[in-house]
């Protein structure tokens, strides 16, 4: 049981490296998928809402330091994302939420919240219309993340998803 708490952090390091190096090459106009959010939502659904909230706080803090964003902006966005994703962590519906279609819809919903909160706390450019910037970057990034999440959940064998 002690080691299962460390597993998300072992996956976080390669995901951050992949997010920093490969994802900018795959992004369109600077908008790309959020692999850290996919990892966060997956472990939140597998465990519990409290676990997801704590993991989101830690993931966000690490990402703030690594990516050099305003300290606390990604932290609060990932904490809220872990909390929202925790509503999909019920024991009797966990298997249905970890199917590819349902998981991608959860990623889309949580991605909109995550990107909105992050944009609110990190962007101070008043020359651009906040609503249009929010809609374009938030919706497109959430759609992109939800498509990538389908590949992520298909890559995990069914027996490993529910352990």
């Amino acid at each position: 049981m002690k080691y299962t708490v460390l597993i998300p952090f072992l996956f976080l390091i390669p995901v951050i490296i992949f997010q920093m190096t490969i994802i900018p090459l795959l992004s369109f106009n600077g908008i790309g998928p959020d692999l850290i959010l996919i990892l966060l939502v997956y472990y939140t659904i597998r465990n519990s809402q409290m676990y997801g909230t704590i993991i989101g706080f830690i993931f966000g803090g690490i990402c703030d330091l690594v990516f050099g964003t305003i300290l606390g902006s990604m932290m609060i966005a990932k904490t809220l994302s872990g909390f929202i994703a925790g509503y999909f962590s019920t024991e009797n519906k966990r298997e249905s939420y970890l199917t590819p279609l349902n998981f991608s819809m959860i990623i889309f919903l949580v991605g909109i919240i995550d990107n909105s909160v992050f944009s609110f706390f990190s962007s101070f450019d008043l020359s651009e219309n906040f609503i249009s910037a929010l809609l374009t970057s938030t919706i497109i990034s959430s759609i992109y993340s939800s498509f990538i999440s389908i590949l992520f959940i298909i890559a995990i064998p069914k027996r490993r998803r529910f352990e």
Side-chain angles (χ1 to χ4, degrees):
M1 182 67 182
K2 292 179 186 178
Y3 298 112
T4 58
V5 174
L6 296 176
I7 290 175
F9 297 106
L10 293 176
F11 284 118
L12 180 65
I13 295 166
V15 167
I16 286 177
I17 292 170
F18 196 77
Q19 185 82 31
M20 291 179 72
T21 57
I22 305 298
I23 294 301
L25 300 174
L26 302 175
S27 65
F28 302 109
N29 293 330
I31 299 172
D34 190 356
L35 301 178
I36 298 158
L37 179 71
I38 295 170
L39 187 68
L40 171 66
V41 170
Y42 174 72
Y43 280 109
T44 301
I45 291 174
R46 277 192 63 188
N47 294 300
S48 68
Q49 186 174 28
M50 182 60 74
Y51 183 83
T53 305
I54 293 169
I55 292 292
F57 180 78
I58 296 169
F59 278 14
I62 292 170
C63 291
D64 274 337
L65 294 174
V66 170
F67 291 118
T69 58
I70 296 172
L71 193 60
S73 60
M74 200 173 287
M75 189 183 297
I76 193 151
K78 299 295 182 211
T79 303
L80 187 61
S81 299
F83 180 76
I84 298 296
Y87 283 112
F88 299 100
S89 180
T90 57
E91 284 187 28
N92 53 352
K93 295 208 175 201
R94 190 171 291 151
E95 292 179 15
S96 67
Y97 290 140
L98 289 176
T99 59
L101 182 62
N102 290 339
F103 187 71
S104 69
M105 295 303 288
I106 293 168
I107 291 292
F108 179 72
L109 172 71
V110 174
I112 288 176
I113 294 167
D114 180 65
N115 291 326
S116 300
V117 171
F118 179 71
S119 294
F120 179 76
F121 284 110
S122 67
S123 66
F124 293 106
D125 186 18
L126 298 177
S127 64
E128 188 176 339
N129 186 2
F130 179 72
I131 301 298
S132 68
L134 188 70
L135 288 176
T136 55
S137 67
T138 300
I139 300 290
I140 293 171
S141 178
S142 298
I143 289 171
Y144 201 179
S145 295
S146 66
F147 281 126
I148 297 297
S149 71
I150 292 172
L151 300 174
F152 173 80
I153 205 72
I154 288 174
I156 300 172
K158 277 190 176 184
R159 60 182 157 74
R160 295 287 301 159
R161 282 186 220 163
F162 310 118
E163 289 180 353

